[in-house]
Amino acid sequence: MVCRSRDVSAWIYLLALLYLCAHCASQLTFSISEELNKGAVVGNIAKDLNLKVQDLETRDLHIVSSYSKTYFDVNLRTRNLIVSERIDREELCPRVDKCSIKIQAALNTPMNVHRIEVNVLDVNGNSPSFVEQTNTLNISESLSPGVRFPLPVAVDADFGSNAVTSYKLSQNEYFSLDVQSGGEHEVSAELVLQKALDREKQAVIKLVLTAVDGGKPPKSGTSPLNINVIDVNDNTPIFSRSLYKLQVKENAVPGTFVIKLNATDLDEGMNSKVQYLLIKRGNIDPTNIFNLDLETGEIILKDSLDYEETRAFEIRVQAKDQGPVPRSAHAKLLIEVIDVNDNSPEITVTSIMTPVREDAQLGTIVALVTVSDKDGGNNGVTKCNVVGSVPFKLKSNYKNDYSLVVDGPLDRENTSNYDVTITAIDEGSPPLSNNRVIAVHVADVNDNSPCFKKPVINVYVKENSPVGSVIHTLTAVDPDLNENAKVTYKLLDTVSRNIPISSVLNTNSETGDIISLQSFNYEDFKIFQFKVQATDSGVPLLSSNVTVNVLILDENDNSPTILTPYSELGSVNSETIPYSAEAGYFVAKIRAVDADSGYNALLSYHLSDPKGNNLFKIGTSTGEIRTKRRMSDNDLETHPLVVLVSDNGEPSLSATVSVDVVVVE
Ligand SMILES: *[C@@H]1O[C@H](CO)[C@@H](O)[C@H](O)[C@H]1NC(C)=O
């Protein structure tokens, strides 16, 4: 007999039983499954105890139990031991290999006790179950394969082989299960990492842990097992492009949006939070020109651009995550600055050969000009021209180098200075242009002779003019400049009426004054002619001649002269007339001359004596003396007449002559 009990009451019961056993008649052993229904037959107790039917009643067969519950009863009619109470093996003898209920079947008269042992066999009535509804494990993705994680244990109220005997894990690629049956009743399982996790591939792994008992058929219980893969900063940010290429116009104003960088990081949280940075390289600090928003990656223009200064920016940008050990990525940003026609052509005069001689040949170089335009492309292609009609043009030497050359006749006397406007225009849209004025001075060349106003000049000079007087001042004009226009005068020594002019006149070579060397007498010569040469001081000397006619003007410097026969030198100084002479009778004719000319020689005749003469008259212009009337007896015999001849000069000069008229019978 083997009795095993773990509690004290069972131990006491065992001692009692050992005592009783001294009087024991027999022992019956039955086996039943646990949890049979009330009334279920355990065995035919009467038959097994060799009891008659009537004994059962008369000897009062009853079941004695030391348990709080009786569990069994006897059906007197069927003589069967039956279950009177539902038996739960797990309650009755938890976690015990063998579970049996020991009872006695007691009989009176004679008193007899039969020991009955009912083995309660375990029925797989319970499924394994997990305490927690859901189990969650947080596992870092950085862990290496082989790492183990203890799993919760499932409980199964059943015993022995009906208890949990194994665990199973749902199909997955990362974990395996290591089931250990180390302890007495314990079967435990550990999760073993088989393959490194990758949060970025699968952040949550949903597994199902199944606990299986050893019953037949086996029962099982499941529990969801969620694995949260904990992020590790194992991903570097990745730029959406390794090279960002873009173009910005150089006139873009500060604040203009340039580009938005975008880098993504497969990690999570701070491990994926990307911050952007412009990287300084050498002396070039791109943050002077561009502003990069650390958080958004948006780049805006900070400063103004200048194509002429920088045509492109090659910038390295960084994206860095904020993990505990940050990872960073780089990309290149190529920003091309697009030229805008913002520069006018510039005209530079590199050399100027001015003044230019007015006799310069066509093609003579006056200036060297260079045109430049800082812009690129067509914005920097220029055309260059001379504005307006001037005797200059531009000749292209090489690319943007030009010569300003003489392209027409020059004449300093006409135009001595040119403001030559050069215009340069580029081919931008809209085009920009610029002007440059080159002052060209024309140098004088002795290409003009001194010039008199008229080739022949008449000079009128009064006779009797004082010696040394300036009778005329000659002027010859030379339009040239300076020495080329400095005129000197020279008398060309000619001879007029056998008189050498140089004895008559002199010239002041500087002033052109003509000075008389003698007093002229109209009555000697009235006109003479000479030439004066005007010469400039240029090289070669140029000259021109002028013919001067000197006309002497008469002065009333001669008195009338009475001609013979009535002159002082003449013999006749009396005339006779007959008494009978009619009125108008011709008496005499007085003739006079005057060396002067014109009015100075225009003579008139008057009877000056006797005054109030009423017998004779004289023709004022003819000089004829005639009678006015017939003679009378009262008239004198002799009439002394005085005739006055006067010229018309101013003042008037005169002469007188006396003629006696004698009247005869
Ligand atoms: C001026 O006169 C001189 C002398 O008669 C002569 O030799 C010269 O050729 C003349 N000059 C001009 C320009 O007529």
Side-chain angles (χ1 to χ4, degrees):
M1 187 187 73
V2 179
C3 291
R4 274 190 357 206
S5 174
R6 285 185 182 170
D7 58 29
V8 176
S9 62
W11 185 247
I12 295 165
Y13 168 73
L14 182 65
L15 290 172
L17 211 58
L18 284 168
Y19 165 76
L20 284 170
C21 268
H23 313 280
C24 277
S26 64
Q27 182 176 334
L28 291 178
T29 304
F30 298 99
S31 283
I32 61 165
S33 290
E34 63 171 329
E35 291 175 7
L36 290 176
N37 286 335
K38 229 172 168 179
V41 176
V42 178
N44 192 322
I45 191 171
K47 189 183 168 197
D48 288 347
L49 290 176
N50 255 332
L51 294 173
K52 291 171 185 135
V53 178
Q54 51 266 45
D55 286 351
L56 300 181
E57 279 183 37
T58 56
R59 295 184 68 189
D60 185 24
L61 175 67
H62 62 279
I63 303 297
V64 178
S65 168
S66 61
Y67 299 94
S68 56
K69 286 174 181 173
T70 318
Y71 290 118
F72 300 102
D73 205 352
V74 178
N75 186 326
L76 294 175
R77 192 174 50 83
T78 61
R79 295 170 290 174
N80 283 339
L81 185 65
I82 58 164
V83 174
S84 66
E85 198 96 26
R86 193 174 165 276
I87 302 166
D88 186 348
R89 188 183 182 280
E90 284 73 34
E91 188 188 24
L92 193 65
C93 37
R95 294 187 295 189
V96 174
D97 282 346
K98 193 169 180 238
C99 184
S100 59
I101 303 174
K102 294 179 175 74
I103 54 174
Q104 292 97 47
L107 288 161
N108 298 330
T109 50
M111 163 84 171
N112 210 352
V113 174
H114 297 278
R115 289 185 297 142
I116 300 168
E117 183 177 11
V118 180
N119 289 324
V120 181
L121 302 175
D122 187 41
V123 166
N124 193 14
N126 295 284
S127 299
S129 71
F130 291 91
V131 179
E132 301 289 338
Q133 284 297 303
T134 309
N135 286 295
T136 303
L137 284 176
N138 292 329
I139 302 178
S140 167
E141 61 175 328
S142 66
L143 294 180
S144 307
V147 178
R148 292 166 171 266
F149 305 91
L151 289 176
V153 174
V155 291
D156 191 320
D158 291 326
F159 181 76
S161 62
N162 287 338
V164 174
T165 55
S166 74
Y167 288 95
K168 285 190 289 189
L169 193 63
S170 54
Q171 183 71 38
N172 75 95
E173 58 176 307
Y174 295 104
F175 295 100
S176 68
L177 210 56
D178 182 24
V179 181
Q180 297 149 338
S181 35
E184 289 180 353
H185 307 289
E186 301 285 347
V187 176
S188 63
E190 280 182 345
L191 203 57
V192 183
L193 186 63
Q194 292 296 326
K195 179 180 164 186
L197 297 172
D198 186 357
R199 192 205 62 82
E200 288 69 41
K201 204 169 154 192
Q202 199 176 351
V204 175
I205 302 169
K206 287 184 184 293
L207 300 173
V208 176
L209 181 63
T210 306
V212 187
D213 63 23
K216 285 185 176 119
K219 291 198 168 185
S220 63
T222 62
S223 170
L225 181 60
N226 290 344
I227 312 290
N228 287 335
V229 183
I230 303 302
D231 189 48
V232 162
N233 196 17
D234 57 352
N235 282 284
T236 305
I238 296 170
F239 273 103
S240 58
R241 275 185 259 163
S242 60
L243 174 65
Y244 294 90
K245 241 173 148 174
L246 60 139
Q247 301 181 322
V248 180
K249 283 192 172 180
E250 66 169 320
N251 62 354
V253 293
T256 301
F257 170 80
V258 176
I259 195 172
K260 190 177 190 302
L261 299 176
N262 186 27
T264 50
D265 190 309
L266 293 174
D267 294 323
E268 67 174 0
M270 293 308 274
N271 292 341
S272 74
K273 190 166 163 46
V274 174
Q275 287 191 341
Y276 301 90
L277 195 73
L278 294 173
I279 294 180
K280 222 173 166 179
R281 265 171 91 206
N283 293 334
I284 301 157
D285 186 357
T287 59
N288 291 335
I289 299 145
F290 300 100
N291 208 350
L292 171 61
D293 188 308
L294 184 77
E295 304 289 340
T296 64
E298 201 170 280
I299 296 181
I300 60 169
L301 202 56
K302 188 174 174 184
D303 199 0
S304 44
L305 299 173
D306 187 1
Y307 171 84
E308 290 69 36
E309 199 180 293
T310 315
R311 301 198 167 193
F313 293 93
E314 195 184 310
I315 301 170
R316 280 171 66 77
V317 289
Q318 186 192 60
K320 190 163 96 174
D321 65 29
Q322 303 299 300
V325 180
R327 287 169 167 258
S328 59
H330 296 93
K332 206 190 265 183
L333 189 57
L334 204 60
I335 300 172
E336 197 184 335
V337 181
I338 301 300
D339 187 41
V340 166
N341 195 18
D342 58 351
N343 287 283
S344 308
E346 260 175 45
I347 304 168
T348 312
V349 179
T350 53
S351 163
I352 183 156
M353 299 76 162
T354 183
V356 58
R357 285 170 62 95
E358 59 179 320
D359 61 354
Q361 299 282 305
L362 293 188
T364 301
I365 293 173
V366 177
L368 295 177
V369 171
T370 298
V371 179
S372 60
D373 192 309
K374 285 181 185 169
D375 292 319
N378 279 353
N379 293 338
V381 175
T382 55
K383 259 189 299 193
C384 195
N385 279 310
V386 169
V387 177
S389 62
V390 285
F392 301 99
K393 70 173 180 186
L394 280 175
K395 215 179 88 185
S396 176
N397 294 338
Y398 173 72
K399 282 183 179 172
N400 290 325
D401 291 337
Y402 299 89
S403 298
L404 181 68
V405 298
V406 175
D407 190 39
L410 300 176
D411 183 9
R412 192 205 62 82
E413 288 69 40
N414 191 14
T415 312
S416 59
N417 286 303
Y418 289 94
D419 282 336
V420 181
T421 302
I422 293 173
T423 185
I425 186 163
D426 63 30
E427 291 184 1
S429 162
L432 292 176
S433 64
N434 212 343
N435 287 345
R436 176 82 191 238
V437 176
I438 298 180
V440 177
H441 304 291
V442 180
D444 189 46
V445 166
N446 195 21
D447 56 355
N448 286 284
S449 306
C451 184
F452 292 100
K453 260 184 199 148
K454 289 188 275 179
V456 177
I457 296 171
N458 291 330
V459 176
Y460 296 91
V461 183
K462 280 183 179 173
E463 61 177 330
N464 306 319
S465 59
V467 172
S469 62
V470 175
I471 63 166
H472 191 72
T473 301
L474 287 171
T475 304
V477 176
D478 190 317
D480 290 326
L481 209 59
N482 301 331
E483 291 298 300
N484 294 339
K486 193 177 174 198
V487 178
T488 55
Y489 302 90
K490 192 175 102 186
L491 187 67
L492 295 177
D493 200 6
T494 48
V495 174
S496 189
R497 297 192 186 182
N498 300 321
I499 307 164
I501 284 298
S502 56
S503 67
V504 177
L505 295 164
N506 203 356
T507 51
N508 183 322
S509 65
E510 301 293 321
T511 61
D513 286 348
I514 298 170
I515 303 150
S516 61
L517 295 179
Q518 64 173 59
S519 181
F520 302 110
N521 186 357
Y522 175 81
E523 288 72 30
D524 284 345
F525 50 85
K526 297 178 173 59
I527 183 166
F528 61 92
Q529 195 180 59
F530 58 91
K531 283 184 176 178
V532 173
Q533 191 174 51
T535 308
D536 62 30
S537 310
V539 178
L541 296 169
L542 293 177
S543 64
S544 62
N545 296 342
V546 67
T547 301
V548 183
N549 287 322
V550 179
L551 297 128
I552 310 295
L553 294 179
D554 185 41
E555 289 256 280
N556 197 17
D557 60 347
N558 289 285
S559 301
T561 306
I562 310 232
L563 298 178
T564 51
Y566 302 106
S567 65
E568 283 172 12
L569 302 169
S571 52
V572 181
N573 55 6
S574 68
E575 291 288 338
T576 58
I577 58 167
Y579 180 79
S580 56
E582 293 294 322
Y585 181 85
F586 176 81
V587 179
K589 181 177 173 73
I590 305 300
R591 271 185 260 161
V593 291
D594 193 309
D596 295 321
S597 68
Y599 284 107
N600 293 337
L602 182 62
L603 301 178
S604 55
Y605 300 87
H606 300 279
L607 283 175
S608 66
D609 230 30
K611 299 275 187 212
N613 190 307
N614 59 358
L615 191 55
F616 300 98
K617 61 179 180 186
I618 187 162
T620 310
S621 58
T622 60
E624 284 178 1
I625 302 168
R626 291 178 187 271
T627 57
K628 278 184 182 170
R629 58 177 170 82
R630 288 177 68 97
M631 305 293 151
S632 72
D633 293 342
N634 294 338
D635 292 329
L636 296 171
E637 207 169 299
T638 300
H639 300 272
L641 299 178
V642 176
V643 174
L644 176 73
V645 181
S646 37
D647 61 28
N648 232 8
E650 189 66 42
S652 174
L653 296 175
S654 59
T656 54
V657 64
S658 299
V659 178
D660 294 338
V661 179
V662 181
V663 180
V664 293
E665 285 294 325

